[in-house]
Amino acid sequence: MAGEIVYADLKVPSESEPTFARTFHSSPQLYAFQRPHWQKITLWIACTGNIILLVALIILLNSTCQVCPAYWVLHRDKCYWFQSKNPLKTWNNSRDDCLARKSQLLVIQDMEDMDFVTENITNVHYTYWIGFSLSLPMKNWIWVTGSQVSKSLFQEQKHEEDKHCGAIKNKKIISEPCSSILRWICQKDPVLI
């Protein structure tokens, strides 16, 4: 056998014949595009899930869901925190505490805000610092935002000696000495998601 030459007929697929036809040449009824039934169902479920997720994402991006931190109360477009436990603080220390919470002392815009605040005060006999004080030397009552206090909310437009800071008690806005030790209310903008 040494030196013998063996000849064989080999069938090599041509370049023009498609790959899937070469793969399934022995059974012409099968095509590469045919899938088992479970694969079709899985593909359909995946596509449907993606569509649902896309719709949910669009809805979330167009929503204005407002969220407040724990222990804060959402009302309209603000979050409110009512300090009701000890220690009590002066007006300046209360203002600083609100700033440390990335907020400010309460600013009441209208009677709806006033009603909300007075409904959420746990004990009507407590007095709470809010965010206004007497601007000296002009002697104007101003909020911590720099705007003037509305006469419809605070009738006591004159100032009493030593009472230069604003508070709320018994559903009324009053002035108190800034060195008094009281509870306080902070407010800030909610987080939009």
Side-chain angles (χ1 to χ4, degrees), residues 97-142:
D97 180 77
C98 289
L99 291 172
R101 296 173 190 277
K102 296 182 172 52
S103 64
Q104 65 185 19
L105 280 171
L106 172 67
V107 174
I108 299 174
Q109 300 293 328
D110 53 31
M111 288 309 291
E112 187 177 339
D113 283 349
M114 180 74 156
D115 292 340
F116 167 77
V117 169
T118 56
E119 288 170 10
N120 282 277
I121 291 176
T122 56
N123 187 330
V124 294
H125 301 295
Y126 290 163
T127 305
Y128 289 82
W129 288 125
I130 61 176
F132 80 90
S133 60
L134 190 65
S135 168
L136 297 175
M138 297 185 315
K139 297 183 181 174
N140 291 329
W141 291 102
I142 59 165

Side-chain angles (χ1 to χ4, degrees), residues 61-107:
L61 290 175
N62 290 329
S63 74
T64 55
C65 184
Q66 300 174 336
V67 179
C68 292
Y71 308 109
W72 290 69
V73 180
L74 178 66
H75 173 68
R76 291 163 83 179
D77 292 331
K78 297 288 181 199
C79 297
Y80 298 86
W81 182 77
F82 297 83
Q83 193 282 340
S84 57
K85 299 177 183 175
N86 290 329
L88 307 179
K89 297 185 180 207
T90 65
W91 189 89
N92 287 329
N93 290 342
S94 298
R95 181 195 59 210
D96 293 344
D97 180 77
C98 289
L99 291 172
R101 296 173 190 277
K102 296 182 172 52
S103 64
Q104 65 185 19
L105 280 171
L106 172 67
V107 174

Side-chain angles (χ1 to χ4, degrees), residues 44-64:
W44 182 84
I45 290 171
C47 288
T48 304
N50 284 337
I51 291 170
I52 291 170
L53 287 173
L54 181 62
V55 169
L57 180 63
I58 291 170
I59 290 170
L60 283 175
L61 290 175
N62 290 329
S63 74
T64 55

